[in-house]
Amino acid sequence: MPATPSAHAPAHDVLNPTPAYLAFWRERHICTLTTPRPDGSPHVVPVGVTYDPGAGLARVISNRHSKKVRNVLAAPDGTARVAVCQMEGRRWATLEGRAVVRTDAASVAEAEARYAERYGRTPSPNPDRVVLEITLDRAMGRA
């Protein structure tokens, strides 16, 4: 039996989300990041995520030696299809796209500033910090 329209996850425009969807992404929530392992299986870990609809990007700061970073680097051409998700009660939101690893100081500083704004604390200094920058092409959820 086909699902009713209300059973489908509502799609959102990644560049022009509804005010409620964007507000949910500005609240302080721990999220998950799903990256593909080299064998294709999903690797899911808790992370902090920032969403920049104006640029069509989500960002995750990480240590360059982490498994999530290695998974992205191991993907063909160093980009991997990933998803970030957050939930609270019946509200949830997922962003999907292609991730790359950024190591330049400007990208790291931008991601750290956005993280500090969303999560209310500046990340500790880390010379091995990199940014998973996700170019978004899909958004869905109920916020």
Side-chain angles (χ1 to χ4, degrees), residues 14-40:
V14 295
L15 300 176
N16 192 22
T18 65
Y21 192 79
L22 183 57
F24 186 44
W25 275 107
R26 289 189 171 146
E27 294 172 11
R28 187 183 193 282
H29 294 286
I30 298 301
C31 306
T32 61
L33 167 71
T34 304
T35 59
R37 292 184 181 104
D39 68 2

Side-chain angles (χ1 to χ4, degrees), residues 22 40 78 115 121 124 142:
L22 183 57
Y115 180 95
R121 69 173 193 84
S124 301
R142 295 186 190 283

Side-chain angles (χ1 to χ4, degrees), residues 3 9 18 27-28 33 42 48 53 66 76 79 83 88 101 104 107 110 124 127 131 134 141-142:
T18 65
E27 294 172 11
R28 187 183 193 282
L33 167 71
S66 72
T79 69
E88 178 184 59
V101 178
D104 62 284
S107 294
E110 174 76 12
S124 301
V131 180
I134 307 162
R142 295 186 190 283

Side-chain angles (χ1 to χ4, degrees), residues 74-95:
D77 72 7
T79 69
R81 182 121 186 111
V82 303
V84 291
C85 183
Q86 67 181 22
M87 61 175 279
E88 178 184 59
R90 292 179 166 249
R91 297 186 309 156
W92 63 275
T94 299
L95 299 168

Side-chain angles (χ1 to χ4, degrees), residues 1-9 142:
M1 170 183 255
T4 62
S6 63
H8 293 285
R142 295 186 190 283

